[in-house]
Amino acid sequence: MQPLSVTLGDRSYPIHIGVGLLDDAQRYAPYVASRSVAVVTNKIVASLYLERVQRALEQAGARVVPVLIEDGERAKAWGTLDRVIDALLAARCGRDSLILALGGGVVGDLAGFAAAVFQRGIGFIQVPTTLLAQVDSSVGGKTAINHVRGKNMVGAFHQPLAVIADVATLDTLPDRELRAGIAEVIKHGFVLDPQFVDWLEANIGKLLARDRTALSHAVRRSCELKAQVVAADERETGLRAILNFGHTFGHAIEAGLGYGEWLHGEAVAAGMVMAAELSVRTGTLRREDADRVAALIAHAGLPVRGPKLPIEQYLELMQVDKKVSGGRLRFILLEGLGRATLRGDLDPRLVRESIAAAVQ
Ligand code: NAD
Ligand code: GLY
């Protein structure tokens, strides 16, 4: 299958999507021949896929330096970053070395940030192995670690040289993680593509059953949509914010419960229902369309209601959001299915009501 492209001038890069790409030495060769490649991954993913990736990289002429980090959101931290940098220096990696991120969004965000700052920036390749990473986090160059006061509060825009998404890796993904990835797929439909929403409504069962043709289409369409947005607004000065639909509420859910209690995609799912409620209350979305938002999320086996935290706690946690401007919260609202807008002029009463309407 032809690769997609993220068009960013001399920083443009391909997104390869297919089955069996992990072992394809030719796919890596243009980037890695005669170079040191630090493969950043975690123990779970390493046990499943590191050997195959290492073999293919070596066939392509690379010297491979495996760098293992802890599993889970807590790995997106200064301490892990320091250990990755230390491993690179100990292995005599330099400015011509590459980082290859093999894993989900945690590995990708952390390894990408390490690539952004190591010796003022080196190249990196994303090899995403979760659905969420294949449809969202590996594309677009957002890299970050968390701060105790907030998620993704330290980071950089640093685009990869290539994304290589092998949908066969999704075979081993736990069901809950698969569903969390489906939340971000659905998000792309809601904000950008009404036909994709129709397709998702008809094919959600196939995605949950891991039908490879359906998964490949979902990954490809998501990446196409995201690539268009990133090409138009790489640094999120405007349009790109729509990719955060549901995330203002979702981040509050994640932070309020403690990171890891709900998966990111689960929190975004309930957050999208709240954002759709807010859109109805603000008058931009018809009730029947908000019902379709909630129904699709429910069919995906994702939560349509947020945890029962006090409304004031939601509001306080939502203040730690990168979309806050001049101290005011801003929200992504739907103006119909497949069309979204960023709004900062909302009546706080409507925000409260929308949360109340969608908590357990
Ligand atoms: P994750 O990276 O924690 O992976 C989920 C779990 O699946 C982990 O336990 C991981 O070890 C395991 N795993 C990975 N691949 C596997 C496979 N093929 N088979 C079996 N197990 C596998 O979580 P995630 O959902 O991929 O990513 C979440 C992170 O992504 C969050 O930190 C979020 O902030 C970030 N994110 C970033 C962006 C961005 O644009 N940079 C966008 C969305 C989310
Ligand atoms: N995940 C949202 C973005 O990349 O902008």
Side-chain angles (χ1 to χ4, degrees):
M1 221 191 282
Q2 277 293 99
L4 302 173
S5 175
V6 182
T7 309
L8 290 167
D10 60 1
R11 291 174 300 114
S12 299
Y13 56 94
I15 306 170
H16 302 269
I17 300 161
V19 172
L21 304 187
L22 222 52
D23 306 291
D24 185 355
Q26 291 315 312
R27 198 79 54 168
Y28 303 109
Y31 312 100
V32 308
S34 309
R35 287 180 181 221
S36 296
V37 179
V39 178
V40 179
T41 187
N42 68 34
K43 288 173 191 157
I44 292 177
V45 180
S47 69
L48 293 163
Y49 301 115
L50 178 58
E51 210 178 297
R52 285 168 56 192
V53 172
Q54 179 157 0
R55 199 178 317 119
L57 288 169
E58 285 169 355
Q59 275 170 15
R63 176 180 78 103
V64 176
V65 179
V67 180
L68 264 64
I69 65 170
E70 292 302 311
D71 185 38
E73 185 69 30
R74 268 184 306 180
K76 271 175 62 171
W78 286 112
T80 323
L81 178 69
D82 193 36
R83 285 192 286 283
V84 170
I85 302 284
D86 189 58
L88 264 67
L89 292 171
R92 302 267 180 273
C93 291
R95 297 212 65 197
D96 61 345
S97 302
L98 289 180
I99 288 180
L100 185 146
L102 174 66
V106 166
V107 166
D109 279 12
L110 181 276
F113 188 49
V117 296
F118 181 71
Q119 299 191 355
R120 300 202 180 91
I122 62 171
F124 85 115
I125 297 176
Q126 289 272 20
V127 182
T129 62
T130 63
L131 182 59
L132 181 137
Q134 294 188 354
V135 300
D136 191 354
S137 62
S138 66
V139 174
K142 281 189 181 177
T143 72
I145 56 173
N146 300 326
H147 185 274
V148 280
R149 290 181 187 271
K151 195 171 151 76
N152 296 330
M153 284 294 134
V154 181
F157 286 97
H158 188 55
Q159 300 292 342
L161 299 172
V163 179
I164 300 175
D166 187 339
V167 289
T169 59
L170 304 180
D171 288 354
T172 54
L173 202 60
D175 279 338
R176 196 175 162 200
E177 299 289 350
L178 183 82
R179 287 194 297 270
I182 290 175
E184 301 282 8
V185 174
I186 291 174
K187 174 198 77 180
H188 287 127
F190 287 155
V191 297
L192 283 160
D193 185 352
Q195 277 93 36
F196 192 38
V197 175
D198 296 341
W199 183 88
L200 285 164
E201 287 173 337
N203 289 278
I204 195 74
K206 287 188 183 165
L207 293 179
L208 291 168
R210 298 174 200 243
D211 175 294
R212 278 201 186 154
T213 308
L215 279 173
S216 297
H217 177 74
V219 173
R220 199 174 173 84
R221 189 65 194 136
S222 289
C223 288
E224 268 169 5
L225 292 166
K226 182 159 183 184
Q228 285 164 14
V229 171
V230 170
D233 179 23
E234 181 186 10
R235 300 229 158 201
E236 200 166 309
T237 54
L239 176 71
R240 185 166 176 171
I242 65 171
L243 299 178
N244 285 312
F245 177 57
H247 283 58
T248 304
F249 298 104
H251 282 160
I253 292 171
E254 282 184 275
L257 292 176
Y259 290 106
E261 185 66 26
W262 278 30
L263 300 179
H264 177 70
E266 293 168 341
V268 167
M272 289 193 287
V273 177
M274 291 177 181
E277 282 293 333
L278 184 56
S279 307
V280 172
R281 285 173 165 69
T282 310
T284 62
L285 188 70
R286 294 179 310 172
R287 168 55 63 193
E288 60 257 43
D289 284 337
D291 290 346
R292 278 178 72 186
V293 169
L296 182 53
I297 290 170
H299 284 145
L302 288 159
V304 287
R305 294 191 165 272
K308 201 164 174 47
L309 303 170
I311 307 280
E312 292 310 316
Q313 192 183 353
Y314 270 95
L315 294 171
E316 198 183 312
L317 290 165
M318 280 168 14
Q319 288 292 338
V320 189
D321 184 288
K322 290 190 284 315
K323 287 188 297 304
V324 168
S325 173
R328 284 183 78 92
L329 278 169
R330 296 189 299 166
F331 293 91
I332 311 302
L333 299 185
L334 292 184
E335 295 181 313
L337 292 185
R339 235 181 29 252
T341 183
L342 176 66
R343 289 274 299 267
D345 54 347
L346 300 184
D347 179 349
R349 184 178 50 86
L350 299 183
V351 177
R352 281 195 174 79
E353 281 177 18
S354 306
I355 298 169
V359 290
Q360 285 162 356

